[in-house]
Amino acid sequence: MAVRVTRCFLERFWEKVDSSGDCWKWVGCLDGKGYGSYTVRTGKRESAHRISWMLAYGQLDEKQFVLHHCDNPRCVRPEHLFLGTQADNIADMVAKGRGAKGEKQGSAKLTAAQVKQIK
């Protein structure tokens, strides 16, 4: 993804960031999963944390993932972000216990109450 970085772009982007805490929280639009979302000049929506990473470290290609050390989907602080693959993202999720479990997992056939009744 290539973003044309202008002074106006930088001002508009960073005015949507609350940098008062350890995590710099995105206060603009959020996507359905709670990640910051920002419309770039082309009209395409991009994840705010990806844009933040690019502003700090350089361009990304579409296959690269920007992951969070802090596990805060609204965080755009570059020091809290790192690059990885989809496999790295999944491994990070599992290692930190963030994977869907039980009835929240998409292929679940039973609810927790049904499992308890069966036991």
Side-chain angles (χ1 to χ4, degrees):
M1 163 184 62
V3 174
R4 186 167 163 243
V5 180
T6 63
R7 185 175 175 166
C8 180
F9 177 89
L10 290 172
E11 288 172 2
R12 285 186 355 183
F13 181 83
W14 291 113
E15 73 185 10
K16 293 174 178 19
V17 176
D18 172 5
S19 59
S20 63
D22 187 44
C23 285
W24 294 356
K25 294 180 184 169
W26 182 256
V27 296
C29 293
L30 301 177
D31 68 13
K33 295 181 180 180
Y35 289 87
S37 183
Y38 189 73
T39 303
V40 295
R41 186 177 189 131
T42 62
K44 182 180 177 195
R45 298 213 53 89
E46 279 295 338
S47 296
H49 67 286
R50 286 181 63 85
I51 293 172
S52 177
W53 194 95
M54 286 188 302
L55 292 173
Y57 305 115
Q59 294 297 319
L60 292 167
D61 69 43
E62 296 296 324
K63 295 178 183 176
Q64 292 176 297
F65 282 61
V66 177
L67 313 175
H68 290 85
H69 287 296
C70 59
D71 294 332
N72 179 350
R74 291 177 55 191
C75 182
V76 296
R77 185 172 187 165
E79 295 86 0
H80 289 195
L81 307 173
F82 65 101
L83 285 183
T85 63
Q86 182 177 14
D88 295 330
N89 195 27
I90 292 167
D92 184 56
M93 174 192 70
V94 170
K96 294 175 179 175
R98 289 185 283 108
K101 297 177 182 106
E103 62 189 89
K104 292 182 180 177
Q105 195 252 2
S107 63
K109 304 288 187 222
L110 302 171
T111 66
Q114 290 170 322
V115 170
K116 188 176 180 179
Q117 185 180 23
I118 291 168
K119 286 183 177 183

